[in-house]
Amino acid sequence: MKSAARRLGREQAKEVLVGLDSALGSSRGKAAREAIVKFLNASVPTYSWVGMYAVDGGDLVLEAWAGPAATEHTRIPIGKGVCGFAAKAGRTEIVSDVGKDPRYLQCFLSTRAEIVVPVLNQGQVVGEIDIDSDQLDAFSSVDKEFLEAVAKRVSNLW
Ligand code: SME
């Protein structure tokens, strides 16, 4: 399948995770989250737009992003959209074709697939990583495991 050929591979994911640690350096908090979105967007071709939202009361607030354009969805109620669903459920959501998911809130016309990975701190969702891809069916269990490992690192630096 042509679309699967460009997905993140296991070996590449390991390399990116090592690179991420050096990109982070000693940064913490929001600076760390900004470094992570920039690094992920630059390192993985299928990660067309990478954002990080933080939980603020009953909402998710966009804190850091990297990609070709800003999104109008800078505040999303928990429970709304794919982002709000993942935050409420506390688990990773993969949408292979955003055109077929009624929960999807559109940010960019070019987006075809999305993955949202919650960041957990002591069992509570404190934020999430949201990635849009211009490639249909861009995300697999490799991205899920990789981004859950990234979310753990983020949680330690929250
Ligand atoms: N598509 C998301 C909204 C955020 S944008 O992708 C940046 C959603 O359905 O929740």
Side-chain angles (χ1 to χ4, degrees):
M1 208 169 93
K2 206 179 171 194
S3 67
R6 280 185 52 227
R7 281 173 162 187
L8 179 70
R10 252 179 223 290
E11 287 311 311
Q12 190 196 353
K14 274 186 209 157
E15 283 166 24
V16 179
L17 206 53
V18 172
L20 183 83
D21 285 330
S22 30
L24 273 171
S26 57
S27 53
R28 293 277 181 281
K30 196 175 172 190
R33 303 197 271 280
E34 276 168 353
I36 286 170
V37 296
K38 276 194 197 119
F39 184 76
L40 290 178
N41 180 239
S43 308
V44 185
T46 43
Y47 294 4
S48 310
W49 186 93
V50 182
M52 285 210 49
Y53 287 85
V55 171
D56 177 28
D59 292 335
L60 293 159
V61 177
L62 186 64
E63 267 206 328
W65 63 273
T71 174
E72 65 188 72
H73 295 295
T74 53
R75 184 173 277 272
I76 302 173
I78 291 175
K80 222 183 148 206
V82 182
C83 286
F85 186 93
K88 197 170 180 181
R91 64 172 155 76
T92 298
E93 278 298 308
I94 293 179
V95 179
S96 305
D97 180 352
V98 294
K100 292 186 177 151
D101 195 317
R103 297 169 304 175
Y104 176 66
L105 295 174
Q106 189 183 70
C107 288
F108 315 109
L109 280 174
S110 54
T111 300
R112 295 288 172 269
E114 180 166 15
I115 185 167
V116 183
V117 180
V119 177
L120 301 167
N121 206 316
Q122 295 178 340
Q124 299 290 316
V125 178
V126 292
E128 63 187 25
I129 304 168
D130 172 31
I131 302 182
D132 283 29
S133 181
D134 294 350
Q135 189 184 312
L136 198 63
D137 198 19
F139 305 113
S140 73
S141 58
V142 174
D143 299 86
K144 179 177 184 285
E145 283 164 30
F146 163 66
L147 290 168
E148 286 173 356
V150 173
K152 272 196 190 139
R153 278 171 167 73
V154 176
S155 169
N156 292 334
L157 304 171
W158 201 260

